[in-house]
């Protein structure tokens, strides 16, 4: 019902009675003397009093009256005619749950969807714990949240026979639909998936059956630790769960019990002496209408002490926002980070901030280890110091800069940390895959790398520094984790011993010819490419023209117009000796990295090396193919005589295969045996087809 005037408006509707009454009666928040003056005049000068309304304070329901709000429905669509199946309350927490029936016979109800939801939630079996006993979604639950924790200024009022009866509100609750049944459906789905997978998700993740167990005794809890535990979210959730539910019996709006309870909304005594709360002096009344600002207290919502809301987060400086987000998320693309920050945030400033707390891995940002494990802390699992944890986690992140997937056992064998810590490192940035170990959590963000090449290059240089430190700590090299190039079958007609002897003789004779050639080049104005035939075979020139080397040199040597060449005073030292040492050093480094190369591939790498040198710095004279081959044979390498098939389409340079022969390592003997396999011809038992060798009889005619 409703009555309105310019100053007072009252409406009420009873929703629930039974000791605990929810009453939607509002819009009259009055604390006043025993009468209310209603003024119908519009001007300030002429303001006569036309009516006085007595106000009474009803106390019968003062500690039991709740205001229920239903924000998901308009006021014209009430739940008065809906069948309420059950109701319960936790008085201390002011939590209420209402279970209401759904009209499954309504033309707007989708029966197939209702049955599917019930099947997902309860499964095919029936027991007493099923949420939906009718095998279809025929009810819904409403849970309450507190609209405000301070209800001292709110009251419900009833206007009758010229009297206004006011009852203070105990709580204001908003009733919203609960979707806990979806959590139950997800739990059922995960249980089914776990049963189907049966065991560990990855075969390589299986741990040994027997392992050492470290026994630790809990330390006495300090007062500071106790206070943190009491304020923690887990503790608060546990305390809230301990309060039992009080089950209620619901009475409808037109029920006789509801009408009886509604009478308690009126003051039972009209004696003014018992309503002294409404008898105030003008000063006290003004203070109640306009309380001082100091009395206003902002009550923060209950939550974990280590969690910030997005509103609180955006009050922090940009650097702290980025650090907090990365510390919680662990790995994130830059685009997602910008989406979490306030609109209008400068991306350049964000890039500066994120580089202080995160590292770039495959185009995505991963929080730094020292942010997760600050100094003077230790592992919560094993007690390992933070410095050791940071080194181990940096190694895991570095491995993901090289490849998409890693094996946990391989990681653990190198960093030598407890399995719990290793698993925590991997869970931060990766997910387990069947038979593939742990795969990086996010796809490579190539767009960020293309858009910010300077940042990507800076991060690459930073990773090189981290790599050098890790190599010293864990005693490994990057090549240990790089895939070795498989030797490509290519034939040569001269044995390795013969080539070695020829190379030694040619190297001794080349010293003087190189010096003469250098002097001739200094005197001439143009440069020509020197061609050296190898014994009785055709010439094999190497293309090192100036168009392919953008460093002001021709064939790797400065031209007459190059500013780096002093034609008067020379270039300091013997260029032949310098070139020979430089070339040998390049050969050794290249074959230490690749082990097996064709002449064609080695020439390509050599050209790239020349192109990367600064303008005028190159000390290489005219280099022919034969000189490259001689230099290779002088650097503990040998030519592998691979018998190519007669119909091969490989070029001559691609048929010349060189392999690293002597390194001083224990694997030299095995490597030589492998080379020897590719020098044999198996024509007696094999047949060549389409460039490949097959056992006779295995290819259909």
């Amino acid at each position: 019902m409703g009555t309105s005037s310019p100053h007072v408006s009252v409406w009420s509707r009873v929703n629930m009675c039974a000791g605990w009454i929810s009453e939607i009666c509002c819009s009259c928040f009055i604390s006043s003397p025993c009468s209310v003056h209603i003024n119908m005049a519009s001007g300030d000068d002429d303001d006569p009093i036309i009516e006085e309304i007595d106000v009474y304070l009803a106390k019968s329901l003062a500690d039991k009256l709740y205001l229920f709000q239903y924000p998901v429905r308009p006021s014209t669509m009430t739940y008065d005619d809906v069948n309420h199946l059950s109701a319960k309350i936790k008085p201390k927490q002011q939590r209420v749950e209402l279970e209401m029936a759904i009209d499954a016979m309504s033309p707007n109800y989708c029966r197939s969807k209702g049955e599917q939801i019930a099947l997902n939630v309860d499964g095919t079996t029936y027991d007493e714990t099923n949420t939906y006993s009718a095998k279809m979604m025929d009810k819904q639950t409403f849970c309450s949240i507190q609209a405000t924790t301070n209800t001292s200024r709110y009251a419900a009022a009833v206007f009758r026979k010229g009297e206004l009866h006011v009852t203070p509100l105990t709580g204001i609750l908003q009733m919203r639909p609960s979707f806990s049944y979806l959590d139950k459906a997800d739990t059922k789905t995960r249980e089914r998936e776990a049963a189907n997978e049966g065991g560990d998700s990855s075969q390589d993740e299986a741990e040994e059956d027997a392992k050492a167990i470290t026994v630790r005794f809990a330390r006495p809890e300090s007062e500071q630790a106790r206070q943190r535990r009491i304020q923690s979210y887990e503790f608060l959730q546990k305390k809230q769960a301990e309060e039992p539910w009080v089950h209620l019996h619901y009475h409808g709006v037109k029920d006789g019990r509801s009408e009886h309870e509604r009478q308690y909304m009126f003051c039972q005594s009209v004696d003014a002496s018992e309503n002294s709360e409404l008898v105030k002096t003008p000063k006290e009344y003004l203070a109640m209408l306009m309380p001082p600002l100091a009395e206003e207290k902002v009550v923060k919502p209950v939550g974990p002490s280590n969690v910030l809301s997005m509103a609180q987060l955006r009050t922090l400086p940009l650097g702290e926002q980025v650090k907090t987000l990365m510390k919680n998320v662990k790995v994130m693309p830059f685009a997602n980070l910008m989406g979490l920050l306030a609109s209008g945030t400068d991306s350049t400033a964000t890039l500066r901030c994120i580089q202080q707390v995160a590292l770039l891995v495959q185009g995505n940002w991963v929080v730094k280890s020292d942010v997760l494990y600050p100094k003077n802390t230790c592992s919560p699992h094993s007690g390992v110091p933070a410095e050791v944890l940071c080194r181990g986690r940096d190694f895991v992140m570095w491995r993901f800069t090289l490849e998409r997937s890693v094996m946990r056992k391989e990681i653990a064998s190198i960093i030598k940390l407890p399995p719990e810590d290793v698993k925590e490192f991997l869970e931060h940035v990766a997910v387990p895959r069947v038979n593939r170990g742990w795969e990086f959590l996010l796809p490579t963000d190539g767009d960020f790398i293309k858009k910010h090449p300077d940042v990507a290059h800076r991060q690459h240089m930073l990773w090189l520094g981290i790599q050098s430190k890790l190599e010293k700590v864990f005693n490994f090299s990057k090549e240990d984790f790089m895939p070795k190039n498989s030797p490509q079958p290519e034939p040569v007609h001269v044995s390795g011993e013969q080539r070695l002897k020829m190379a030694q003789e040619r190297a001794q004779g080349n010293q003087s010819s190189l010096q003469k050639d250098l002097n001739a080049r200094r005197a001439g104005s143009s440069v020509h490419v020197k061609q050296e035939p190898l014994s009785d075979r055709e010439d094999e020139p190497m293309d090192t023209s100036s168009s392919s080397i953008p460093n002001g040199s021709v064939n790797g040597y400065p031209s007459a117009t190059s500013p780096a060449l002093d034609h008067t005073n020379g270039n300091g030292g013997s260029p032949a000796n310098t070139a020979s040492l430089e070339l040998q050093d390049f050969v050794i480094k290249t074959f230490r990295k690749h082990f097996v190369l064709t002449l064609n591939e080695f020439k390509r790498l050599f050209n790239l090396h020349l192109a990367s040198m600064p303008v005028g710095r190159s000390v290489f004279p005219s280099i022919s193919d034969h000189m490259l081959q001689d230099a290779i044979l002088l650097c503990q390498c040998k030519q592998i005589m691979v018998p190519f098939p007669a119909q091969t389409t490989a070029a001559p340079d691609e048929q010349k295969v060189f392999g690293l022969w002597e390194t001083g390592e224990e694997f030299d003997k095995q490597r030589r045996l492998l080379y020897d396999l590719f020098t044999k011809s198996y024509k007696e038992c094999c047949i060549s087809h389409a460039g490949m060798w097959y056992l006779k009889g295995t290819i259909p005619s």
Side-chain angles (χ1 to χ4, degrees):
M1 68 182 196
T3 303
S4 62
S5 70
H7 290 172
V8 177
S9 125
V10 180
W11 54 274
S12 65
R13 177 164 57 84
V14 175
N15 270 3
M16 178 175 136
C17 305
W20 302 96
I21 300 180
S22 69
E23 184 77 22
I24 302 185
C25 324
C26 198
S27 78
C28 182
F29 313 131
I30 298 177
S31 177
S32 66
C34 293
S35 61
V36 176
H37 304 284
I38 298 181
N39 182 10
M40 301 296 293
S42 58
D44 294 336
D45 297 335
D46 186 13
D47 190 14
I49 298 174
I50 63 173
E51 186 177 355
E52 291 187 1
I53 299 176
D54 293 332
V55 178
Y56 297 91
L57 179 63
K59 300 180 181 179
S60 299
L61 301 177
D63 58 344
K64 299 178 182 180
L65 189 59
Y66 288 83
L67 170 63
F68 281 13
Q69 298 174 341
Y70 294 83
V72 297
R73 273 201 181 186
S75 59
T76 56
M77 297 178 62
T78 67
Y79 290 96
D80 294 344
D81 299 328
V82 177
N83 184 19
H84 289 62
L85 303 177
S86 65
K88 54 185 179 180
I89 186 173
K90 288 188 176 183
K92 293 181 180 179
Q93 302 174 36
Q94 294 191 3
R95 288 184 58 192
V96 176
E97 282 193 9
L98 299 177
E99 197 171 80
M100 300 187 191
I102 297 177
D103 184 8
M105 305 305 294
S106 170
N108 299 322
Y109 182 82
C110 180
R111 190 178 185 87
S112 61
K113 289 291 184 181
E115 292 175 349
Q116 183 62 47
I117 292 175
L119 180 62
N120 294 341
V121 174
D122 298 327
T124 56
T125 60
Y126 176 78
D127 54 43
E128 295 180 355
T129 61
N130 283 4
T131 304
Y132 304 110
S133 57
K135 294 188 177 180
M136 70 168 59
M137 185 179 179
D138 57 353
K139 60 183 178 180
Q140 63 176 334
T141 303
F142 286 80
C143 293
S144 68
I145 59 172
Q146 286 183 288
T148 179
T149 56
N150 182 14
T151 59
S152 60
R153 300 179 60 190
Y154 297 90
V158 181
F159 185 75
R160 185 180 68 175
K161 297 180 181 180
E163 298 175 347
L164 187 66
H165 297 260
V166 179
T167 304
L169 288 174
T170 302
I172 302 176
L173 307 179
Q174 290 186 348
M175 306 300 297
R176 298 176 182 270
S178 171
F179 299 98
S180 57
Y181 61 89
L182 295 179
D183 298 333
K184 187 176 179 181
D186 290 342
T187 303
K188 292 271 188 182
T189 303
R190 285 194 293 267
E191 289 175 355
R192 286 195 297 268
E193 291 177 353
N196 292 335
E197 290 181 4
D200 199 350
S201 60
S202 179
Q203 294 180 3
D204 65 280
E205 297 303 307
E207 297 290 342
E208 292 78 10
D209 292 336
K211 60 180 181 180
I213 298 177
T214 303
V215 179
R216 293 183 178 86
F217 296 94
R219 298 178 180 177
E221 187 179 32
S222 63
E223 182 62 25
Q224 186 178 8
R226 179 178 172 275
Q227 291 297 330
R228 286 199 302 267
R229 179 175 61 83
I230 292 175
Q231 296 175 3
S232 67
Y233 182 71
E234 182 181 0
F235 182 82
L236 293 175
Q237 289 290 92
K238 183 179 179 181
K239 292 294 290 183
Q240 290 179 359
E242 289 177 355
E243 183 182 0
W245 286 101
V246 177
H247 292 272
L248 309 174
H249 183 69
Y250 178 82
H251 295 272
V253 176
K254 301 177 182 179
D255 189 271
R257 178 63 184 273
S258 297
E259 182 61 33
H260 174 73
E261 294 289 338
R262 248 194 306 270
Q263 299 304 313
Y264 291 111
M265 297 285 292
F266 301 99
C267 183
Q268 302 301 313
S269 174
V270 294
D271 188 358
S273 61
E274 296 185 9
N275 286 278
S276 57
E277 290 86 347
L278 298 181
V279 181
K280 302 292 182 183
T281 64
K283 186 176 181 180
E284 292 173 335
Y285 179 59
L286 181 62
M288 294 179 70
L289 288 178
M290 301 179 62
L293 294 177
E295 295 182 6
E296 294 288 344
K297 295 182 180 179
V298 179
V299 180
K300 296 182 179 180
V302 177
S305 58
N306 62 336
V307 174
L308 289 176
S309 66
M310 291 302 295
Q312 292 173 315
L313 179 68
R314 290 176 180 176
T315 61
L316 301 175
L318 179 60
E320 288 298 319
Q321 292 185 45
V322 174
K323 181 177 180 180
T324 303
L325 287 171
M326 291 305 304
K327 192 173 180 180
N328 284 274
V329 182
K330 308 294 189 304
V331 55
M332 188 191 315
F334 185 72
N336 289 16
L337 176 64
M338 293 299 298
L340 292 174
L341 299 175
S343 59
T345 303
D346 183 20
S347 61
T348 304
T350 307
L351 274 175
R352 285 198 298 267
C353 294
I354 198 173
Q355 292 181 73
Q356 298 175 8
V357 297
L359 295 169
L360 194 66
V361 178
Q362 299 188 23
N364 299 283
W365 290 99
V366 181
V367 64
K368 288 183 177 180
S369 301
D370 54 4
V371 175
L372 290 180
Y373 305 107
K375 195 175 181 180
N376 299 326
T377 61
C378 61
S379 167
H381 307 293
S382 58
V384 175
E387 293 79 2
V388 181
L389 293 176
C390 289
R391 287 198 299 266
R393 187 174 181 274
D394 286 346
F395 177 79
V396 173
M397 294 164 60
W398 173 76
R399 283 299 309 277
F400 279 114
T401 64
L402 305 179
E403 50 193 328
R404 289 287 302 173
S405 301
V406 299
M407 293 295 183
R408 188 171 75 174
K409 286 187 176 180
E410 181 184 349
I411 296 290
S413 65
I414 294 176
I415 64 178
K416 295 179 174 59
L417 286 176
E420 296 85 0
D421 293 322
V422 177
K423 188 174 182 180
E424 184 178 78
F425 298 159
L426 292 170
E427 287 176 342
H428 287 171
V429 295
V431 291
R433 301 295 186 193
V434 178
N435 297 329
R436 286 190 296 165
W438 290 76
E439 185 181 9
F440 191 67
L441 190 62
L442 300 175
T444 302
D445 191 354
D447 294 339
F448 177 84
I449 297 175
K450 292 178 182 178
K451 189 176 181 180
H452 304 281
D454 53 335
V455 176
H457 178 70
R458 193 179 305 118
Q459 289 291 311
H460 174 69
M461 301 304 296
L462 188 60
W463 274 118
L464 290 179
I466 295 175
Q467 173 192 329
S468 62
K469 294 179 181 178
L470 295 175
E471 287 177 348
K472 295 177 182 178
V473 173
F474 297 119
N475 192 22
F476 71 91
S477 63
K478 181 179 179 181
E479 286 72 17
D480 296 339
F481 305 103
M482 299 296 290
K484 303 294 188 298
N485 289 344
S486 300
Q488 301 294 328
E490 324 212 331
V492 179
H493 307 292
V494 184
S495 66
E497 290 77 11
Q498 292 174 335
R499 293 286 295 171
L500 181 59
K501 291 180 181 179
M502 294 170 61
Q504 291 174 345
E505 294 172 358
R506 191 178 292 108
Q508 294 175 359
N510 279 345
Q511 296 294 330
S512 58
S513 63
L514 288 174
Q515 184 64 41
K516 292 178 182 178
D517 186 64
L518 176 63
N519 295 335
R521 289 177 183 279
R522 288 179 175 175
S525 59
S526 62
V527 181
H528 65 277
V529 179
K530 181 178 179 181
Q531 304 288 343
E532 290 189 8
L534 178 60
S535 66
D536 57 346
R537 292 192 303 280
E538 69 281 356
D539 291 345
E540 301 167 350
M542 175 180 174
D543 181 14
T544 56
S545 61
S546 60
S547 61
S548 62
I549 308 173
N551 64 348
S553 61
V554 179
N555 294 326
Y557 187 79
S559 65
T561 59
S562 173
L565 180 62
D566 188 345
H567 295 275
T568 305
N569 301 323
N571 62 348
S574 171
N577 293 337
T578 304
S580 178
L581 293 175
E582 289 266 354
L583 181 58
Q584 291 181 22
D585 182 62
F586 174 75
V587 171
I588 292 173
K589 289 182 178 179
T590 303
F591 274 88
R592 285 274 181 176
K593 182 177 181 180
H594 297 279
F595 293 93
V596 176
L597 289 170
T598 64
L599 180 60
N600 185 66
E601 178 65 12
F602 181 79
K603 288 161 60 177
R604 186 185 70 83
L605 296 175
F606 184 63
N607 272 333
L608 291 176
H609 175 66
L610 294 178
S612 65
M613 299 178 69
V615 176
R617 183 185 177 278
S618 176
V619 297
F620 292 105
S622 176
I623 303 295
S624 67
D625 292 356
H626 301 312
M627 294 172 63
L628 287 179
Q629 296 178 64
D630 295 341
I632 292 173
L633 295 174
L634 286 173
C635 296
Q636 298 178 337
C637 299
K638 283 193 177 183
Q639 188 169 357
I640 305 173
M641 306 305 170
V642 181
F644 276 79
Q647 66 271 30
T648 182
T649 58
D653 284 353
E654 294 176 338
Q655 297 184 30
K656 296 178 182 179
V657 183
F658 297 90
L660 183 61
W661 193 261
E662 187 76 32
T663 63
E665 299 175 350
E666 57 180 343
F667 299 111
D668 287 347
K669 187 177 296 184
Q670 289 85 344
R671 193 184 301 110
R672 293 171 190 168
L673 291 174
L674 181 63
Y675 293 162
D676 189 55
L677 291 176
F678 288 93
T679 61
K680 305 296 183 182
S681 177
Y682 301 95
K683 293 183 179 180
E684 296 81 4
C685 56
C686 299
I687 185 172
S688 175
H689 177 72
M692 301 292 292
W693 286 94
Y694 301 88
L695 285 176
K696 288 184 177 179
T698 59
I699 299 180
S701 59

